Amino acid sequence: MNILVVGGGGREHALIRKIKENPSVKNIYALPGNGGIAADAECVPIGAKDIPAIVEFAQTHAIDFAVVAPDDPLVLGAVDALNAIGIDCFGPTADAAVIEGSKVFSKTLMSRYGIPTAAHRVFDDAKEAKAYVETLGAPVVIKADGLALGKGVIIARTKDEAFEAIRSMMEEKIFGDSGSRVVIEEFLTGPEVSVLAFTDGQTMIPMVSSMDHKKIGDGDVGPNTGGMGAVAPNPFYTDAIAAQCMDDIFLLTMHAMNAENRTFRGCLYFGLMLTEKGPKVIEYNCRFGDPEAQVVLPLLESDLLDIMMHTARGTLADADVRFSGDSACCVILASNGYPGAYDTGFDISIPADILAGASAQVYAAGVRREGDRLLTAGGRVLGVTAVASSLPEAVEKAYEAAGRIHFENAYYRTDIGAKAVAEGGAR
Ligand code: AMP
Ligand code: GLY
């Protein structure tokens, strides 16, 4: 089979490694991929948002199955366009991807179908938004409606910070049209859990839970990033909580999307907060999380491509979905300065035993290749994932490998997994 994967980060590298375990895969193409992914797939310089070029490539390369991994092409209708030329895809169509593409849509869905989430209101007028903040007080959360590169959520500690966020989103339009409408919502507290789930609209199969580490600094300080590391499973997510989420959140969401004529097929990502009043949805994503995919997929024991094909065809109930009982930890090696400005173009050196996957898996994100040199080319450069029978061991192995990978200007958090281990992730 010829497989096409749209995207080019660490998540896509983890997907590609897993898909390749299926013996019937002949060619696997990454659009655009990156210099590190090139070791596992043929990378083609077509941007993930260039849907006409993706369709043309698929048509001319006898693609049997496509996986659209990032949010932008999903929201822009890449799956619709590929389906239209007869290519099966893993990923939701645009009308279902709106669950991530519009916060107004997702918040309205949750209110309408009684799915637990933070209390909120939607505004398209800055004055009214500010008046609502006056009544709510602070802290309060301001969210741009549309996609904003993961930066559209502002946690305002004071009313003045909230006014400033409303001004910059709605009046200055720092996120363009994504900020024309905003959601203002109640500030919740509690441990966060990411749950990725396979669903075809009839069946919902949650994967092993995980925990992202979004802040740039140790101890969860500093600005938000795309994610600086992850662990799986998430020890805060007990079996009892999982059962409650299945009934009160996951299945309700699947049925709600069906009722709206927006059947979701693909990976639905539930960003949850375990509050004192029970689990609540912080956000939905219409795709695998990154770095979550880099800890969840290495724990998948069954055949990913087979599961994806079943999901696309609406036969997920027949798929074999099994996770090992092991734990995984992923440490992201970033360019110093990220998520602000940073330099790139530094040589990356990875010891041969690590490259061979002996002690860890290295997934490439911001990497380019020049001859046989690998150079840094982005904010998040590599994800280093280790798997072990216990979480403390997985954390130790990931850091041992990360410490032996070098490039100038490297930065990584030193406490990935610490909170999870303290919570009792010792199994
Ligand atoms: P997002 O970009 O939607 O993933 O949101 C970024 C982060 O903002 C989340 O991971 C949470 O840590 C935080 N967040 C979002 N909504 C709320 C909320 N209502 N209360 C507290 N924190 C929130
Ligand atoms: N790790 C969060 C996300 O993928 O959106």
Side-chain angles (χ1 to χ4, degrees):
M1 274 191 296
N2 296 326
I3 310 294
L4 182 162
V5 176
V6 176
R11 164 185 55 203
E12 287 76 10
H13 201 176
L15 286 165
I16 286 167
R17 284 251 175 93
K18 203 75 203 169
I19 288 169
K20 278 180 63 179
E21 290 177 7
N22 182 308
S24 59
V25 173
K26 192 167 122 226
N27 294 302
I28 184 157
Y29 302 97
L31 279 56
N34 67 49
I37 292 178
D40 288 292
E42 188 172 325
C43 295
V44 183
I46 291 176
K49 290 198 274 186
D50 189 348
I51 293 175
I54 293 169
V55 167
E56 198 199 325
F57 180 88
Q59 237 160 358
T60 50
H61 289 76
I63 296 301
D64 298 294
F65 192 75
V67 176
V68 181
D71 47 359
D72 281 316
L74 290 166
V75 170
L76 291 170
V79 168
D80 310 63
L82 288 163
N83 285 342
I85 57 160
I87 295 179
D88 274 351
C89 295
F90 181 85
T93 52
D95 59 2
V98 70
I99 198 166
E100 171 169 4
S102 166
K103 300 239 188 261
V104 172
F105 173 84
S106 65
K107 294 298 294 193
T108 307
L109 186 85
M110 288 186 270
S111 310
R112 192 174 292 158
Y113 294 91
I115 299 164
T117 187
H120 75 284
R121 277 182 57 190
V122 177
F123 295 93
D124 50 22
D125 179 272
K127 241 196 226 132
E128 287 173 23
K130 287 178 187 168
Y132 184 58
V133 166
E134 281 294 358
T135 66
L136 273 188
V140 65
V141 183
I142 322 282
K143 299 186 173 183
D145 177 34
L147 295 179
L149 294 172
K151 293 180 186 153
V153 174
I154 292 178
I155 313 280
R157 301 277 154 197
T158 63
K159 279 202 270 186
D160 281 339
E161 269 179 49
F163 295 149
E164 174 55 26
I166 292 167
R167 203 182 54 75
S168 61
M169 283 186 201
M170 301 186 82
E171 292 169 3
E172 254 175 57
K173 300 240 183 257
I174 55 166
F175 303 125
D177 280 343
S178 284
S180 304
R181 287 203 292 177
V182 300
V183 172
I184 298 185
E185 69 178 34
E186 166 197 18
F187 175 75
L188 300 175
T189 53
E192 286 189 58
V193 182
S194 304
V195 179
L196 320 182
F198 294 109
T199 178
D200 62 357
Q202 305 297 319
T203 303
M204 169 74 64
I205 306 182
M207 301 178 221
V208 61
S209 63
S210 54
M211 183 194 288
D212 191 3
H213 295 67
K214 286 204 169 83
K215 303 280 189 195
I216 188 69
D218 283 359
D220 294 326
V221 298
N224 262 330
T225 69
M228 293 302 294
V231 295
N234 183 327
F236 291 93
Y237 191 70
T238 61
D239 289 348
I241 294 173
Q244 186 184 359
C245 289
M246 187 68 178
D247 290 340
D248 298 349
I249 296 176
F250 306 160
L251 291 173
L252 275 185
T253 303
M254 184 180 85
H255 294 310
M257 290 298 276
N258 289 341
E260 297 286 317
N261 275 321
R262 294 174 184 272
T263 294
F264 189 102
R265 291 204 169 119
C267 173
L268 186 51
Y269 168 128
F270 299 90
L272 306 173
M273 195 171 270
L274 308 180
T275 74
E276 278 180 358
K277 292 186 187 149
K280 296 195 178 188
V281 177
I282 289 285
E283 61 162 345
Y284 292 113
N285 291 323
C286 64
R287 51 173 174 84
F288 285 91
D290 194 356
E292 287 92 332
Q294 300 183 54
V295 287
V296 169
L297 293 172
L299 299 178
L300 179 66
E301 281 187 334
S302 42
D303 184 330
L304 177 62
L305 182 61
D306 184 66
I307 299 168
M308 289 180 147
M309 292 175 115
H310 274 297
T311 304
R313 291 168 189 164
T315 54
L316 179 59
D318 299 334
D320 171 25
V321 185
R322 268 178 298 115
F323 287 86
S324 79
D326 289 342
S327 296
C329 173
C330 173
V331 176
I332 299 291
L333 306 189
S335 297
N336 196 24
Y338 172 78
Y342 51 82
D343 294 326
T344 60
F346 300 110
D347 279 283
I348 301 171
S349 95
I350 306 176
D353 64 303
I354 298 177
L355 260 189
S359 55
Q361 294 281 326
V362 179
Y363 300 120
V367 175
R368 72 187 164 84
R369 187 176 289 264
E370 235 180 64
D372 51 14
R373 290 163 69 198
L374 286 182
L375 303 173
T376 64
R380 291 191 293 173
V381 177
L382 299 171
V384 182
T385 297
V387 172
S389 57
S390 74
L391 187 60
E393 236 181 305
V395 171
E396 195 187 318
K397 272 174 79 178
Y399 274 110
E400 191 274 333
R404 292 196 291 126
I405 295 173
H406 298 290
F407 55 88
E408 208 173 301
N409 224 22
Y411 167 82
Y412 57 87
R413 274 181 66 161
T414 63
D415 66 343
I416 302 302
K419 233 194 239 174
V421 169
E423 177 58 19
R427 75 180 178 84

